[in-house]
Amino acid sequence: MKIIGHRGASGYAPENTLPSFRQAIRLGVDMVEFDVYTLKTGEVVVFHDDKVNRTTNGKGKIESKTFDEVRALDAGNGEKIPLLTEVLDTINKQVPINIELKGANTARPVAEIIQRYIAKKKWSKELFFVSSFDHNELRLFSTLLPTVQTGAIFSYLPRRFWSKLQNSGIFSANINSRVVTKRMVKAAHARGLKVFVYTVNTERQARRMARLNVDGIFSDYPDRVSLLNGDAKTPQLLTLPLTKKPFAQAN
Ligand code: G3P
Ligand code: MG
């Protein structure tokens, strides 16, 4: 079971900031997850909420702010909201990354940035994994960059769950821990899909997920949940073999 640092190691440092990502890597995660938005001025930043109110000293929607306005905010302990490129440069190929497309108009700039890192900075495409609750944005991403693996996120089980996913070309269903069941994991595996579960923060929950045979868990406290097998102590590439066709070609 892979351990994925949720917003870095957000139990230990301000979420989605550079110290949080450094801490996750120190704790030996298999992958780091974070969320992105596109600003009014076009930059892609790493941030979770649609408003800056909860995690910074500012107010208002992140998408309606300029880069200068965002950089003036304190995201916790004096940290700045980072650009996607700053996070990539900090992680610097040490572990694979899961970019969650949170905002609208993120698929295109994220695909461009990933392409640039693959072409110019020699990142392998396996270091990238892109997910979203917004399956249209995810589909657009797959059209633009079909070689990068994708995960569709679900907070509940929608109708036609499996028909939406079967033969969709996506790599995984990323599911809320409250709704995941053993049967669901079995059904996903039978259709060639991986299952990643968010957010798992106790050893007890982690053991339950291991029993359900899930492929990975997102955690704010990666060290607490990696006690299970110890394999998260050794950073390793999460292998993301290509599925038959990109998500874009799904029905
Ligand atoms: O991708 C898993 C998890 O990050 C989804 O929920 O709200 O923490 O981005 P959220
Ligand atoms: Mg997320």
Side-chain angles (χ1 to χ4, degrees):
M1 190 167 74
K2 303 291 182 187
I3 310 298
I4 306 162
H6 185 233
R7 309 179 199 171
S10 56
Y12 297 113
E15 65 179 53
N16 284 340
T17 63
L18 298 182
S20 187
F21 299 123
R22 290 193 194 103
Q23 180 65 7
I25 292 168
R26 268 197 296 272
L27 293 174
V29 296
D30 296 296
M31 181 157 71
V32 165
E33 184 264 0
F34 54 80
D35 317 275
V36 295
Y37 281 91
T38 301
L39 300 178
K40 186 178 165 187
T41 38
E43 297 83 358
V44 178
V45 290
V46 174
F47 197 72
H48 180 270
D49 295 2
D50 61 338
K51 287 186 178 166
V52 300
N53 304 33
R54 179 180 62 89
T55 57
T56 79
N57 55 347
K59 274 189 182 153
K61 290 203 159 211
I62 181 104
E63 287 173 322
S64 56
K65 296 195 180 296
T66 64
F67 179 65
D68 290 345
E69 285 167 345
V70 162
R71 285 301 241 211
L73 299 173
D74 181 341
N77 299 348
E79 292 302 321
K80 302 288 174 209
I81 294 173
L83 287 165
L84 171 58
T85 51
E86 290 171 327
V87 173
L88 295 184
D89 293 339
T90 297
I91 294 176
N92 194 22
K93 306 178 193 172
Q94 295 175 82
V95 288
I97 55 161
N98 173 195
I99 304 175
E100 182 187 334
L101 307 177
K102 196 66 102 180
N105 308 315
T106 44
R108 196 172 295 277
V110 166
E112 282 167 12
I113 289 169
I114 292 176
Q115 265 168 325
R116 202 162 73 229
Y117 274 70
I118 291 173
K120 301 247 168 74
K121 302 206 177 196
K122 306 290 171 225
W123 283 53
S124 98
K125 66 181 188 314
E126 284 79 18
L127 285 167
F128 295 101
F129 174 49
V130 172
S131 62
S132 190
F133 284 102
D134 183 340
H135 300 170
N136 290 327
E137 200 66 20
L138 198 60
R139 221 174 258 117
L140 172 61
F141 175 84
S142 269
T143 315
L144 298 166
L145 203 44
T147 56
V148 167
Q149 295 289 11
T150 53
I153 313 177
F154 297 92
S155 54
Y156 67 100
L157 280 203
R159 282 176 56 147
R160 298 179 64 244
F161 181 72
W162 292 117
S163 56
K164 267 186 107 169
L165 291 188
Q166 196 157 19
N167 300 319
S168 66
I170 68 159
F171 179 72
S172 68
N174 300 357
I175 301 173
N176 192 303
S177 62
R178 285 191 289 268
V179 300
V180 67
T181 62
K182 190 155 202 164
R183 199 167 150 202
M184 189 189 300
V185 177
K186 226 173 161 177
H189 287 165
R191 288 163 175 85
L193 289 160
K194 302 284 184 199
V195 177
F196 298 120
V197 177
Y198 66 93
T199 306
V200 176
N201 281 338
T202 65
E203 192 185 338
R204 188 162 168 265
Q205 289 172 318
R207 287 188 188 284
R208 179 173 166 249
M209 293 306 148
R211 281 197 301 275
L212 297 186
N213 204 21
V214 310
D215 300 286
I217 52 176
F218 296 88
S219 184
D220 302 331
Y221 300 92
D223 53 333
R224 291 186 192 171
V225 296
S226 62
L227 297 175
L228 272 177
N229 48 21
D231 69 357
K233 300 294 176 203
T234 314
Q236 52 185 294
L237 282 185
L238 181 69
T239 311
L240 301 170
L242 270 179
T243 43
K244 287 172 215 81
K245 54 182 183 174
F247 192 36
Q249 292 169 16
N251 44 8

